[in-house]
Amino acid sequence: SSGINAEYGVTQIEGTIEKYKSATPPPPTRGVSPAAPADAEDAGSGEGEAEEEEGAGMDMEDLITRKDVAEDLDKLAEQLGSASWQERAEALDSVDRMLKEAVNIKPNLGSDFVAAIKARVADKNMAVKLKSIGIMTSLGSALGVGTKKHKELFVILFPLLSDSKKNVQAQVLDSINVWVEHVTIRPLLQGEDLVAASSDNNPNLRSCLFTWLVEQLKAAKVPPKLPKELNLLVPGLFKSLEDRNPEVRKSAQGALPYIMAHVGYGAMMDKCNNLDQKSKKTIQDLLEKNKEQADALAPKKPPPKPKADLKPEQPKKQRARSPVEEPNEDSGESSPVTQKKSAPKKGLGKKPALGGAAPAAKKKKKKKK
């Protein structure tokens, strides 16, 4: 009968397979699955773990179709460098149309185009300059995460904040914010680009920079500590705190507690030693005044690990201290032993172990006799 049942089961399975052979699986409803594990061992880690890491394994960038426009952009490089501002403006219009049609582009921009657009954002003709800044904003949107490969383009925007015209400053800041959304503030702090801008003699640049920096430090999701290079901004900050321009002083005072929160009160006090006596007193008073706010803004240290993590190690230490060692025959001394093992063997003539083990052994001998 068992043979008949087995044959019947195989027939049932084959029938089910044939029934659904031409059926198509339903579309996924929970998003993109995480990447397949490298080996079978990882694959068997459990369904629950896979569900927990589903969000982490999701890479939406893989779902975006990007167009390669490097060759077309390079073809416009020569016209972008034309002596006629009208031709330069026409080339920028062509670039703008190309980016709008492509929507999302690959990170390769072409070396000739990159050099040309760098020159155009500083163009003496205001119409061409504004068009170029607009192109930088469109590039940031079209590149997406690809902006990370073009930091050299991103940093050329900061010197443009030195322009006294508010509409130019606003357009530059819009472009910077589009780029920083993908690049993040961390690589900027690790370089010297912001350091140079923070110490620039142009008051418009420093005023805009420190105001923008405060907004970024407020909004950015940063680890407990920002890069140590942030302390390189401190000399420029001190300079701005004493600037004649009230707008510069105001923006620097707004940035002071946020920068101190990461650099530290003590470290900034130490940097005051490089100032003259008058400036030193002024800056130290400002640091003391903002210390409480800086402490409140300072990143909180991660909580200590729970004591439960140390429990597996405790039995090892207890075993090491417990008296379970055998006598050391080489040294002639005996280590602490249990009462069962403490009785000396016949004929060995060794001294009994201390701690009450010897009396117990003698009693046993008397009983045997």
Side-chain angles (χ1 to χ4, degrees):
S1 62
S2 60
I4 295 172
N5 289 337
E7 186 177 352
Y8 176 74
V10 171
T11 305
Q12 242 187 348
I13 292 170
E14 289 177 346
T16 304
I17 293 173
E18 188 66 28
K19 180 179 177 181
Y20 293 103
K21 188 175 181 181
S22 59
T24 56
T29 57
R30 298 191 65 186
V32 182
S33 299
D39 48 41
E41 186 177 352
D42 292 337
S45 59
E47 184 180 348
E49 184 179 348
E51 287 181 3
E52 290 178 3
E53 296 181 358
E54 185 174 9
M58 187 183 300
D59 189 358
M60 298 305 293
E61 178 63 23
D62 294 338
L63 303 178
I64 299 175
T65 303
R66 297 190 175 277
K67 186 178 179 181
D68 190 349
V69 295
E71 188 176 345
D72 295 330
L73 289 174
D74 267 349
K75 289 178 180 178
L76 292 168
E78 185 177 352
Q79 188 178 353
L80 285 169
S82 172
S84 169
W85 73 267
Q86 290 94 340
E87 289 188 10
R88 297 198 300 273
E90 287 176 7
L92 290 169
D93 289 337
S94 299
V95 173
D96 186 51
R97 286 193 298 270
M98 189 186 304
L99 295 176
K100 286 179 179 177
E101 289 173 3
V103 183
N104 300 300
I105 63 173
K106 293 184 177 181
N108 182 20
L109 297 179
S111 57
D112 293 339
F113 170 77
V114 170
I117 197 65
K118 280 183 178 181
R120 296 290 66 81
V121 294
D123 202 294
K124 292 180 180 180
N125 184 283
M126 185 54 66
V128 174
K129 183 177 182 176
L130 290 174
K131 280 180 180 288
S132 300
I133 296 171
I135 291 296
M136 288 295 297
T137 307
S138 300
L139 274 175
S141 299
L143 283 167
V145 295
T147 52
K148 295 179 181 180
K149 296 185 178 181
H150 294 285
K151 183 191 165 187
E152 79 282 2
L153 275 180
F154 181 25
V155 296
I156 65 174
L157 291 168
F158 287 96
L160 302 179
L161 293 172
S162 60
D163 198 300
S164 60
K165 299 179 182 64
K166 295 297 182 182
N167 64 320
V168 176
Q169 290 178 359
Q171 192 168 340
V172 173
L173 287 172
D174 287 343
S175 186
I176 287 175
N177 289 333
V178 168
W179 279 74
V180 81
E181 182 180 347
H182 302 290
V183 178
T184 73
I185 194 174
R186 176 171 284 272
L188 290 176
L189 296 174
Q190 290 173 331
E192 297 182 359
D193 305 288
L194 287 188
V195 177
S198 68
S199 300
D200 195 274
N201 290 326
N202 187 289
N204 299 319
L205 174 54
R206 281 183 287 138
S207 176
C208 287
L209 176 66
F210 284 117
T211 301
W212 174 82
L213 188 60
V214 169
E215 294 174 357
Q216 293 305 311
L217 292 177
K218 284 181 179 179
K221 295 179 180 179
V222 295
K225 280 286 184 183
L226 281 171
K228 61 181 181 180
E229 288 84 356
L230 182 63
N231 62 25
L232 299 177
L233 296 176
V234 173
L237 178 66
F238 286 174
K239 176 182 176 181
S240 298
L241 286 169
E242 294 189 288
D243 199 272
R244 295 178 181 178
N245 189 305
E247 291 296 323
V248 175
R249 291 199 305 273
K250 181 180 178 181
S251 63
Q253 288 169 6
L256 177 59
Y258 289 90
I259 293 179
M260 197 196 311
H262 291 277
V263 176
Y265 171 78
M268 294 188 74
M269 274 292 191
D270 290 341
K271 288 185 178 294
C272 290
N273 294 328
N274 300 325
L275 304 173
D276 59 61
Q277 287 302 316
K278 183 181 178 182
S279 297
K280 183 176 181 180
K281 179 67 170 62
T282 302
I283 300 301
Q284 284 180 337
D285 289 346
L286 286 171
L287 293 177
E288 190 64 36
K289 181 180 177 181
N290 286 271
K291 184 179 182 298
E292 186 176 347
Q293 185 182 358
D295 290 340
L297 293 169
K300 302 298 182 287
K301 293 182 179 179
K305 292 182 179 180
K307 294 182 179 180
D309 295 344
L310 302 176
K311 283 185 179 178
E313 296 181 3
Q314 290 177 358
K316 292 183 180 179
K317 293 180 180 179
Q318 290 173 358
R319 283 200 297 271
R321 293 177 181 176
S322 62
V324 296
E325 296 181 5
E326 293 293 339
N328 190 340
E329 295 181 3
D330 294 335
S331 63
E333 297 179 358
S334 59
S335 304
V337 294
T338 58
Q339 287 187 2
K340 280 188 176 181
K341 293 187 178 180
S342 62
K345 295 182 181 179
K346 291 181 179 181
L348 292 179
K350 288 182 179 263
K351 293 181 180 180
L354 298 177
K362 287 180 181 179
K363 286 180 180 180
K364 287 184 179 179
K365 283 185 179 181
K366 287 181 181 179
K367 287 181 181 180
K368 285 182 180 180
K369 287 179 181 181

